[in-house]
Amino acid sequence: VNFLDWTKMKDRSDIYKRFADCHLEFDLTRVSGSTVGLDSASLAKSENADKLTDKNAIFVTTDSLHGEWQNKVGSLNGWEPAWYPGAVAGIVLASFILAFLTASTLVERQLHRNLLYKVMPRRAIMKLQRGQTVLEKFNLVTIFFSDIVGFTNMAGNMTPIQVMKMLNELYTELDKLVEKHNVYKVETIGDAYMVVGGAPSRVPAPVAAERVALFALEAVNFVRKFRTKEGNQIFIRAGLASGPTVGGVVGRSMPRYCFFGDTVNFASRMESTSKKMKIQVADITYRLLQDAPTASFVMTKRVEGDIVGVQVKGKGHQTTYWIERAGPRAWDSYVNDDPEDVKRDVETPIISSKKSKENYGVKEADAAVEERNYTSEEIYDAMSSQDWENLGHASSSLVGATDDSYSLGFRAGALLEHHLLCVLQERDPNAEMSLSTKIQLNQFVQEVSETYGNAKFHNWSHANHVTTSMNKLLAVIQEGGEELVSLNSFSLVFAALVHDAGHTGMSNKILKDIDHPLSKKFDDSIPIAEKNSINIALNILFQDNFSSLRNAILPGDMDKIEFARTLFQSILITDIATPDRVKLGIERYKASQGNEDPDAGLCPLSNHISDLFDGVGLEESVKDEHPDEFVVTSSGLKRCVRNEHLMLLSDVGHLCQSWENFIKWNFRLFKELMDCYRKKLCDNPRETWVQGQIDFFDKYIIPLVERCRILFPEEFSEALLTNAMNNLKLWTIFGVQATNMMALGVRNDEREDAVLVDLYGLGRDYLERIESKKSK
């Protein structure tokens, strides 16, 4: 046995084939003892045995009569059984099938739920699943009924298929209006259509009435334009009533969520006694609509000959009203009972004389009542036709200076409405602004106004003066022959209105010095107050209740890019207290005067791209889809410089207007800084005020006006410079006296208007003397 022929044994054992069939490499060696017939201790090994290592092989040691044997066995591809790939593939396939079946089941289940939720309220379904009876009482809801006038005769002249198709087309569109106005569609019976507001989702009664009334107006307007496929026009009549009702699910077979009670019958009678393409409302609904929170309705009493109202079966004679139209409601207002209201254009909000006098004072209320008699377009025309020099100092209440929050908001809303309508009509010449967009635009302005605090200078009044100045500058550019890009103009007016939203009355330096919470929100390189204003404005705009307004402004990615870019560029540059930011703005201006590609480092938005995307809901893929929009180009730099300089000039426009405008806002800024001084947040501004204003004119205002020459006609540019130089001259003469008057007024807590009369007189008297000398 000690003289075995190992070579013959290897051949007879098929050791190579056996390991190869298992996809294994091996190296069989004899650790001790002799190996007759072999030159080394290796008894047998596969071709790639030398590639076996401790990581991909195992060692098997065996003791025998012939000595100690060791076999190194492994796989170059790792330890994987032959069946392993197939098993993995099988598991993956099974998992996919299982996941698909699960997903299909979940989707099917959700579709089933969605269908159920369209049939009846979610709360009712939950109760039915628990085996409970669904019965709910609602104290005050508003119900809408409508039917098609002459439907019986119409249906007699059509095939059943044609009737079904016509009703399906009509009611599919009405269903969209139901979702839009957040009301509940109860049912359709033949040509009848029933809608409820305030149930099953409970809301305040005036809100429910408003939603149903707005739905009714849009439904009638839609039907007015609706045509059947045969080209025939149809007409409906509609009625609304308000009152208590009971809702619940009736029956077990094909259960439905229905409403019961006298209010349902009354609403049906309001519809049946209504007239073609008219909306008749009961007295209680009329009263609820007077308290509608966001819309003002023009309603006329139903009078036929000497008969007021209508005879209603089961109710007797009832006083009823027609809903004529609606418009955005003024802030803190309601529809008064003045019959003259029905004669005005209700596309504009209104305000009650009584209530305004309680909130604003008699003088402001009278102006507000006068202002309500004008349309938004008339307000825009009046605001745009003012002389730049006397902006806000005209005698008309439409454009006169005021601190009345209502009047300011009304004017701002009118300017934004005009520019937004231009945006819509630039996209589609036949476009009209929807009522819901107008209402939301006014609500947006109101919410923005509420973010402005009680700062003496950086407040709602100054924001409106900047907005009015911006609108005027755009009008001047347009009158000079330049064709404006409507979305850019809207964005600039929008930016002017929100540019100081949330301002604390403290500079960015003070915010950092006192470690204000706002200073912790942004990096040191980001202007605190300016970025905060952008965030506030976009957060409001992207609230759910502004969806119609948002869709009108930003229907596509390119609109979002243009709007956000203009907003960021024009507001960030207003941090003029930071020298480096001012310097970069000037460098951008100089670079824009050439045609060479500018340095990418001049881009003011390089540190704000992610915030810009987040602010308007842009996806990162937009960069790949529109790469040219994110490259610094010569034309892009020119647009940026234009946006920045229009905003800078609007923001300090009072210094380039009349002496009255300049000294008024100068006094308010002085008071704001004095407030900070009293709180020990800054040095006494009085000590450097006189020379500080002179330096500001010399080093900032006049160079800014010179740079802005590229934007305006020569005559207007000269007027800007002349106004600035005149104000500088008057301040040089009267600056010390004016500062003393301001300081005394602050110390004695004098009425602002009293101090302003004296300040106005300084410049006015001087100019009158000069003119008198010239005339002699």
Side-chain angles (χ1 to χ4, degrees), residues 49-227:
D50 294 337
K51 297 180 181 179
L52 294 176
T53 65
D54 293 344
K55 294 182 179 180
N56 62 6
I58 60 173
F59 295 84
V60 179
T61 302
T62 304
D63 291 326
S64 70
L65 296 175
H66 308 288
E68 183 179 350
W69 295 15
Q70 185 182 73
N71 195 8
K72 180 162 60 173
V73 182
S75 172
L76 299 182
N77 297 322
W79 292 97
E80 182 180 287
W83 49 263
Y84 183 77
V88 171
I91 293 172
V92 170
L93 179 61
S95 299
F96 175 79
I97 294 173
L98 180 61
F100 178 78
L101 292 175
T102 302
S104 299
T105 302
L106 292 175
V107 169
E108 192 72 24
R109 188 174 181 181
Q110 188 60 45
L111 291 174
H112 176 68
R113 285 179 178 174
N114 292 342
L115 182 60
L116 281 177
Y117 295 152
K118 289 181 180 294
V119 173
M120 66 178 65
R122 181 174 306 195
R123 186 169 59 253
I125 294 173
M126 300 296 289
K127 286 186 176 182
L128 289 175
Q129 289 176 340
R130 294 194 295 265
Q132 298 175 339
T133 300
V134 180
L135 185 64
E136 300 175 289
K137 181 179 180 181
F138 302 94
N139 293 328
L140 191 54
V141 302
T142 297
I143 299 177
F144 164 94
F145 266 102
S146 73
D147 74 354
I148 298 175
V149 178
F151 176 74
T152 302
N153 293 334
M154 183 185 300
N157 296 323
M158 301 170 67
T159 66
I161 296 297
Q162 288 175 323
V163 173
M164 287 295 296
K165 287 184 177 180
M166 179 194 72
L167 291 178
N168 184 59
E169 291 174 13
L170 175 63
Y171 291 151
T172 296
E173 294 301 320
L174 294 189
D175 289 347
K176 295 178 182 178
L177 295 180
V178 165
E179 295 183 6
K180 176 180 178 180
H181 293 284
N182 200 19
V183 292
Y184 183 75
K185 175 186 174 183
V186 182
E187 59 185 349
T188 56
I189 304 175
D191 63 321
Y193 197 91
M194 179 181 176
V195 164
V196 174
S201 297
R202 301 175 188 270
V203 295
V207 175
E210 177 185 81
R211 291 177 179 178
V212 175
L214 291 175
F215 164 81
L217 283 170
E218 283 211 49
V220 171
N221 286 335
F222 168 74
V223 172
R224 187 172 287 115
K225 302 174 183 177
F226 179 79
R227 298 291 184 276

Side-chain angles (χ1 to χ4, degrees), residues 34-48:
S34 62
T35 52
V36 178
L38 294 176
D39 297 330
S40 67
S42 178
L43 304 179
K45 64 178 182 180
S46 60
E47 183 179 356
N48 296 314

Side-chain angles (χ1 to χ4, degrees), residues 140-372:
L140 191 54
V141 302
T142 297
I143 299 177
F144 164 94
F145 266 102
S146 73
D147 74 354
I148 298 175
V149 178
F151 176 74
T152 302
N153 293 334
M154 183 185 300
N157 296 323
M158 301 170 67
T159 66
I161 296 297
Q162 288 175 323
V163 173
M164 287 295 296
K165 287 184 177 180
M166 179 194 72
L167 291 178
N168 184 59
E169 291 174 13
L170 175 63
Y171 291 151
T172 296
E173 294 301 320
L174 294 189
D175 289 347
K176 295 178 182 178
L177 295 180
V178 165
E179 295 183 6
K180 176 180 178 180
H181 293 284
N182 200 19
V183 292
Y184 183 75
K185 175 186 174 183
V186 182
E187 59 185 349
T188 56
I189 304 175
D191 63 321
Y193 197 91
M194 179 181 176
V195 164
V196 174
S201 297
R202 301 175 188 270
V203 295
V207 175
E210 177 185 81
R211 291 177 179 178
V212 175
L214 291 175
F215 164 81
L217 283 170
E218 283 211 49
V220 171
N221 286 335
F222 168 74
V223 172
R224 187 172 287 115
K225 302 174 183 177
F226 179 79
R227 298 291 184 276
T228 65
K229 289 190 175 180
E230 290 74 28
N232 299 322
Q233 184 176 8
I234 66 172
F235 303 95
I236 66 171
R237 56 175 170 257
L240 276 68
S242 303
T245 188
V246 173
V249 176
V250 178
R252 293 183 178 276
S253 177
M254 297 183 67
R256 293 185 305 153
Y257 190 86
C258 301
F259 289 91
F260 306 91
D262 183 62
T263 304
V264 178
N265 297 329
F266 195 14
S268 178
R269 298 286 181 252
M270 287 293 96
E271 174 270 314
S272 61
T273 59
S274 184
K275 292 186 176 182
K276 181 171 66 176
M277 301 304 286
K278 300 282 282 182
I279 305 169
Q280 182 176 225
V281 300
D283 183 67
I284 188 172
T285 308
Y286 166 79
R287 297 179 183 278
L288 288 174
L289 291 176
Q290 286 183 309
D291 293 327
T294 64
S296 61
F297 295 87
V298 169
M299 296 173 284
T300 58
K301 191 174 291 185
R302 179 170 182 169
V303 180
E304 297 179 1
D306 296 331
I307 301 175
V308 178
V310 66
Q311 190 72 21
V312 178
K313 182 178 179 180
K315 285 285 188 178
H317 196 82
Q318 295 288 321
T319 300
T320 61
Y321 300 81
W322 302 116
I323 300 180
E324 303 291 349
R325 52 194 182 276
R329 176 176 291 285
W331 311 345
D332 299 323
S333 65
Y334 55 85
V335 179
N336 66 41
D337 295 326
D338 186 350
E340 291 299 314
D341 276 2
V342 302
K343 299 179 182 180
R344 68 182 187 87
D345 185 342
V346 294
E347 290 298 302
T348 61
I350 70 169
I351 186 167
S352 162
S353 304
K354 177 182 176 182
K355 195 160 188 177
S356 64
K357 290 178 181 179
E358 293 173 353
N359 291 345
Y360 307 119
V362 175
K363 180 179 179 181
E364 292 83 356
D366 289 342
V369 170
E370 180 182 349
E371 203 158 321
R372 75 179 189 179

Side-chain angles (χ1 to χ4, degrees), residues 545-584:
N545 54 315
F546 293 119
S547 58
S548 292
L549 174 62
R550 194 166 56 250
N551 291 335
I553 302 170
L554 310 172
D557 286 343
M558 285 301 298
D559 302 297
K560 292 179 179 180
I561 292 172
E562 173 61 24
F563 173 77
R565 183 165 52 201
T566 304
L567 185 68
F568 275 70
Q569 288 173 349
S570 56
I571 293 182
L572 293 175
I573 194 63
T574 59
D575 177 28
I576 61 176
T578 302
D580 289 344
R581 199 171 304 281
V582 176
K583 182 179 178 181
L584 274 175

Side-chain angles (χ1 to χ4, degrees), residues 427-444:
R427 297 169 183 157
D428 177 5
N430 298 319
E432 296 180 358
M433 192 181 303
S434 69
L435 178 60
S436 60
T437 300
K438 292 181 181 180
I439 290 175
Q440 290 181 16
L441 180 60
N442 280 269
Q443 289 175 324
F444 174 82

Side-chain angles (χ1 to χ4, degrees), residues 459-472:
N459 54 30
W460 182 231
S461 293
H462 184 252
N464 274 264
H465 188 79
V466 175
T467 303
T468 305
S469 298
M470 175 66 79
N471 179 74
K472 180 62 180 178

